[in-house]
Amino acid sequence: MAKLQGKWKETEYPFRWVEFKDSTVKFTEEGVAKKPEFEKFKLSAKCPFDVNNIKELKPGDVFIVMDRNQTCQKIDVSDDTLTFSGFSTNTNKDYAIVYKKVSQ
């Protein structure tokens, strides 16, 4: 949880940010009508919801769980890199969204 704290910028699309503050997270992206807000999240070893974006589970996988939207994504944090990953039902392919840390 401590490694997540701060602001992160997506590497492939510089107008998308994610910010973690304690046990809340805010996703910001240009062109979205609704103003982004911090919402509660938790980290878990499993997804408690029936979702279609998680296909293969490996020992040690960690999920960010958003109760409000009943969503989960695999998450990996190492030094200054944050990766969200899963399976896209739109493309039928795995995806990975990579962020770099910009501030604590």
Side-chain angles (χ1 to χ4, degrees):
M1 184 75 82
K3 288 182 180 181
L4 289 174
Q5 301 303 302
K7 194 169 187 178
W8 304 77
K9 181 178 180 179
E10 187 180 335
T11 58
E12 290 186 21
Y13 184 69
F15 305 105
R16 189 175 295 146
W17 302 80
V18 62
E19 185 174 358
F20 291 89
K21 186 176 180 183
D22 301 320
S23 61
T24 63
V25 62
K26 176 171 68 170
F27 294 93
T28 304
E29 183 175 351
E30 75 169 352
V32 177
K34 185 179 176 188
K35 184 178 177 180
E37 299 175 352
F38 280 98
E39 58 184 283
K40 288 193 169 289
F41 77 94
K42 60 187 170 190
L43 298 177
S44 178
K46 62 182 180 175
C47 180
F49 309 117
D50 184 22
V51 297
N52 59 4
N53 68 323
I54 299 168
K55 295 294 181 196
E56 294 182 30
L57 301 177
K58 298 180 205 108
D61 280 345
V62 176
F63 298 94
I64 183 168
V65 178
M66 310 291 290
D67 286 329
R68 187 171 93 185
N69 300 331
Q70 294 191 339
T71 60
C72 299
Q73 287 191 77
K74 290 183 191 178
I75 189 170
D76 181 55
V77 182
S78 60
D79 299 324
D80 66 343
T81 303
L82 167 66
T83 306
F84 291 97
S85 60
F87 179 80
S88 171
T89 56
N90 294 329
T91 64
N92 285 325
K93 295 181 181 177
D94 292 332
Y95 67 86
I97 304 170
V98 179
Y99 293 83
K100 290 292 183 183
K101 188 167 233 177
V102 293
S103 68
Q104 290 289 354

